[in-house]
Each structure stands twice: as C-alpha cells, then as structure tokens.
Amino acid sequence: MTTAVNVTKNADADWVIRAAGQTGIPERALRAYVAAAETVNAAAPACGIGWNTVAAIGFVETAHGTYGGGYLTSAGQGSRPIVGPVLDGAGFAAIADTDAGALDGDTRWDRAVGPMQFIPTTWQLVGLDGNGDGTADPFNIDDAALSAATYLCAGGRDLTTADGWTDAIYAYNQSDAYIRQVREQATAYAAKAGAQE
C-alpha cells in the first residue's frame, strides 16, 4: 500500500487551515477528521488510521456534511439533518426500522444519518461523544468522525496494510466501487495536503 492512501498527521491549526484550502475540505470538518484519527491512534496505535481516510469517507458519504446545500456550524452540527435514502430494499439493503424513528424520523425503515451516514443500529453500537458535550450525536461531525474512525479500527485492524485498509472500508460499505472511490479520494487528499511526515 502506498502511504498516500492512509496518512497520519499530528496537525496544528496552521496546517489545518492550509490543508483545508488545498483539499477543499471545510476547515471545521477537517479538524474533526484529524482529531478523530489522532484520538483513535492514541488509543489503538496498531490501527494507524489516517486523517485522509476518515476525510475520504466523509466526502463520499455527504461531501463533508454539505450534501444538499447544507453546511457545518462552528459547533460541528449540520445546518440541517442529513438523512439518507429509505433502506427498503429498492436499490439498497432492506433494513426494517430499529430505532422507532428516533434518529432518522422513519418508523418503518432505517435510514443512514449524519455527515458520516450511520445506520441507527451501527450508531447504537459505536456512537461516541467526540466533542465532550456528554452526548453522542450522529449529526455532529466531531462525534460522527470519532465514531467512524473507531469503527474502522475495530477488531484490531491495521490500516497501514493494504488488506487491513481494504477490510476496514469494506466493513463501512460492502461495495467494491465504494472502496475504489474512498481510495482515490484519500490518495488525492494526501497529495493535495502534502501531509506525509
């Protein structure tokens, strides 16, 4: 695996500002992605998740919380809830409602929610409080990014290897096309940010 697919970085504020401009990632989202990777790597150093891997998923899933014309507030909340398509088996997996519509507003079928698009059952398993406000909120980029990074590193995965990285992305979305798209985006972000250390 080339290191550009998964780049770790201990970022300072100046780097985040510069890298946001170079990559087109909103600064607020980039801060969340870097913080998530740093936090997970501190807790599970063998994972080696890169900020650009988390960012690539954020891009593919919701264009960093901007899907449909939305934006992230300074607190990391979406300007409006991001709720994915109905998971009723028509073009997507069929997943009957698991949360009585609490997260997705749908009491018949589940829908993925938030900037990192968590299905309610997955959020129940891995949802974390990334901003320290006492609530794990899938609509908050800090919480969603930390939860995504943790999920990608689950089971002792080593994202510094080609197989480990691919297995992690496959666990997030079981599609070869998705894996290719995330790989291409992660590599592009690393190249644009010049973040290899």
Side-chain angles (χ1 to χ4, degrees), residues 7-190:
V7 176
T8 57
K9 172 78 179 159
N10 290 319
D12 59 24
D14 290 339
W15 181 87
V16 170
I17 292 167
R18 181 176 49 75
Q22 293 167 326
T23 61
I25 301 170
E27 186 180 325
R28 185 62 186 82
L30 183 55
R31 280 196 342 247
Y33 301 144
V34 172
E38 288 177 354
T39 299
V40 170
N41 285 330
C47 178
I49 191 168
W51 67 268
N52 60 320
T53 294
V54 184
I57 289 175
F59 172 78
V60 171
E61 293 291 348
T62 67
H64 312 298
T66 67
Y67 179 78
Y71 61 90
L72 296 173
T73 68
S74 61
Q77 291 298 125
S79 60
R80 59 183 177 199
I82 299 173
V83 179
V86 176
L87 299 177
D88 62 359
F92 300 97
I95 303 175
D97 177 62
T98 60
D99 69 336
L103 292 177
D104 57 18
D106 191 329
T107 58
R108 182 161 183 215
W109 300 101
D110 269 348
R111 297 172 179 232
V113 298
M116 301 300 280
Q117 289 290 277
F118 277 97
I119 296 170
T121 52
T122 306
W123 184 256
Q124 290 170 2
L125 292 172
V126 299
L128 297 169
D129 176 15
N131 62 3
D133 69 357
T135 302
D137 178 1
F139 296 98
N140 178 277
I141 190 66
D142 297 312
D143 297 358
L146 178 61
S147 300
T150 300
Y151 184 72
L152 292 166
C153 289
R157 287 189 193 102
D158 177 356
L159 274 68
T160 66
T161 69
D163 288 344
W165 188 91
T166 301
D167 288 348
I169 306 306
Y170 188 77
Y172 208 90
N173 187 321
Q174 298 175 2
S175 159
D176 290 339
Y178 183 86
I179 291 168
R180 282 191 303 275
Q181 191 175 11
V182 171
R183 180 180 288 116
E184 288 168 7
Q185 197 63 50
T187 302
Y189 283 152

